[in-house]
Amino acid sequence: MRSGVTIFPGSNCDRDIIVALKKITGKAPIKMWHKDIEFPNLDLIVIPGGFSFGDYLRCGALAARSPVIQNIKNHISRGGAVLGICNGFQILIEAGILPGSLIRNKKLLFTCRDTKLEIQDTIVSPFLSGLKKELHLNIPVAHNEGNFFASETLLNELKNDGRIAFKYIKEINNDIDYNPNGSSNDIAGILSKNGRVLGMMPHPERAINNIHGGTDGLKFLTKSFEQIIG
Amino acid sequence: MKVIVNISLKEGVLDPEGQAIKTSLSNLGFENLNDVRTGKQIILNFKNLEENEAVLETKKMCEDLLVNTVIEKYKINILRD
């Protein structure tokens, strides 16, 4: 699989996802500096987490107007797959590639912990089609602005079109803090209309080794990559 | 010439920071508040430009970058010396 990882000033999960990509595919991704515009054709572009441009103005706002974004849009129009993780999800929304908005966490706290994710019934998507629906994933989040906000109309549209990828679910019945940020309808990740762009707040690259406390991220990424190269 | 852009969250968008400020104000005895909303201000110092041109350009800046129109609204004011 030919893959690339974008790097902005302030990206800080780029190395983690590069390690994950190498571990799973056996091939190192190319690094895509935010000012560069020419890249070879790729199967997958990952926009990693971090604090691009120091979260100035709004999270992801400045990164979403960087030169590399046009390349990502071209890649998408060719049918290429894109995975935006955390700040990467914020950037995809700011670039107008995914809809809605990610606002401040409801409790005003930076939340860094494991979350339990339920896989939703979605349109055909390389990121989800290989996963069994009954499988729950334990994947950590680490963010301050992950509260997915959208109009009722958009929320209904996302649901009816099968574009909600993951929801946070309760670990135990009386778990009142299962949703780490107060997101509408417990949404943790959404898909583009063609299913080939996924934005998610949880960090799969932080759950690929037993020393991370779990390997559900490895499971998710491995299945995704298998589907992407088809 | 300076142009001031005031950005605030649209009605109906959760403003947890505003809520936290309201709670703190209430703890200090300020009880006459229905609601507290927060926002930000951006001051643009233009080179020599006609006022109406500066306003038009500011509007474009707001739509292109400064404001997330999904959740935010803005007001443009001109600061005359």
Side-chain angles (χ1 to χ4, degrees):
Chain A
M1 190 181 68
R2 297 160 305 170
S3 62
V5 174
T6 60
I7 301 176
F8 301 92
S11 295
N12 68 4
C13 301
D14 43 329
R15 291 202 177 195
D16 304 55
I17 193 70
I18 288 170
V19 168
L21 279 157
K22 252 191 220 166
K23 180 181 167 109
I24 298 165
T25 69
K27 204 172 154 194
I30 62 160
K31 294 175 186 172
M32 307 170 71
W33 181 238
H34 70 114
K35 279 186 181 167
D36 293 342
I37 45 173
E38 298 230 2
F39 299 100
N41 282 359
L42 300 166
D43 301 305
L44 169 73
I45 295 176
V46 182
I47 312 177
F51 301 85
S52 59
F53 295 92
D55 279 351
Y56 287 170
L57 194 61
R58 295 179 306 276
C59 302
L62 303 185
R65 276 91 179 163
S66 299
V68 74
I69 296 298
Q70 191 51 51
N71 182 279
I72 294 175
K73 286 183 174 169
N74 296 343
H75 166 81
I76 293 169
S77 61
R78 282 195 300 268
V82 176
L83 172 61
I85 301 165
C86 196
N87 189 223
F89 186 12
Q90 294 164 340
I91 293 168
L92 285 171
I93 286 187
E94 277 286 345
I97 294 167
L98 291 175
S101 189
L102 287 160
I103 62 173
R104 197 88 185 265
N105 293 351
K106 199 171 182 179
K107 291 189 173 168
L108 291 174
L109 291 173
F110 185 99
T111 313
C112 182
R113 63 172 169 86
D114 279 339
T115 56
K116 195 169 182 182
L117 304 176
E118 183 184 60
I119 298 156
Q120 305 297 300
D121 274 324
T122 65
I123 44 170
V124 176
S125 166
F127 294 105
L128 294 146
S129 299
L131 292 168
K132 290 201 179 88
K133 293 286 174 285
E134 62 275 15
L135 186 76
H136 293 156
L137 299 172
N138 281 302
I139 297 184
V141 293
H143 61 250
N144 198 34
E145 284 88 2
N147 180 349
F148 186 78
F149 179 90
S151 66
E152 277 303 313
T153 321
L154 178 62
L155 289 172
N156 286 330
E157 203 179 299
L158 290 174
K159 183 169 183 277
N160 297 336
D161 294 351
R163 290 173 58 194
I164 299 173
F166 304 113
K167 282 188 177 189
Y168 303 108
I169 53 161
K170 292 180 185 181
E171 190 74 52
I172 40 168
N173 271 339
N174 58 357
D175 183 3
I176 50 164
D177 277 332
Y178 68 97
N179 178 336
N181 49 41
S183 64
S184 306
N185 298 352
D186 302 326
I187 289 173
I190 60 168
L191 292 164
S192 61
K193 279 187 179 154
N194 72 355
R196 298 189 67 81
V197 180
L198 169 65
M200 61 192 291
M201 288 314 297
H203 285 269
E205 79 284 8
R206 293 190 187 182
I208 62 159
N209 194 309
N210 282 326
I211 56 164
H212 291 160
T215 55
D216 281 4
L218 182 69
K219 224 182 278 175
F220 161 69
L221 291 172
T222 306
K223 288 287 176 196
S224 295
F225 299 165
E226 281 171 14
Q227 298 282 323
I228 289 167
I229 42 175
Chain B
M1 185 191 39
K2 284 181 182 167
V3 174
I4 298 179
V5 183
N6 280 305
I7 303 167
S8 56
L9 290 168
K10 286 181 180 172
E11 299 304 317
V13 178
L14 178 77
D15 183 354
E17 196 173 357
Q19 285 177 351
I21 292 169
K22 183 174 177 256
T23 308
S24 274
L25 286 170
S26 154
N27 292 341
L28 291 171
F30 297 102
E31 299 287 0
N32 297 318
L33 292 166
N34 279 327
D35 201 13
V36 175
R37 307 285 285 173
T38 59
K40 67 185 124 191
Q41 188 180 61
I42 296 174
I43 301 166
L44 304 164
N45 195 350
F46 277 96
K47 295 176 184 170
N48 303 323
L49 212 58
E50 291 294 324
E51 211 172 275
N52 56 343
E53 284 177 314
V55 170
L56 276 178
E57 196 156 310
T58 304
K59 266 189 192 156
K60 193 159 185 316
M61 287 176 182
C62 287
E63 299 291 329
D64 287 355
L65 173 65
L66 301 181
V67 182
N68 176 355
T69 52
V70 177
I71 50 166
E72 294 171 330
K73 56 184 180 181
Y74 63 94
K75 261 194 188 139
I76 297 172
N77 291 303
I78 294 160
L79 193 70
R80 294 185 184 87
D81 299 324

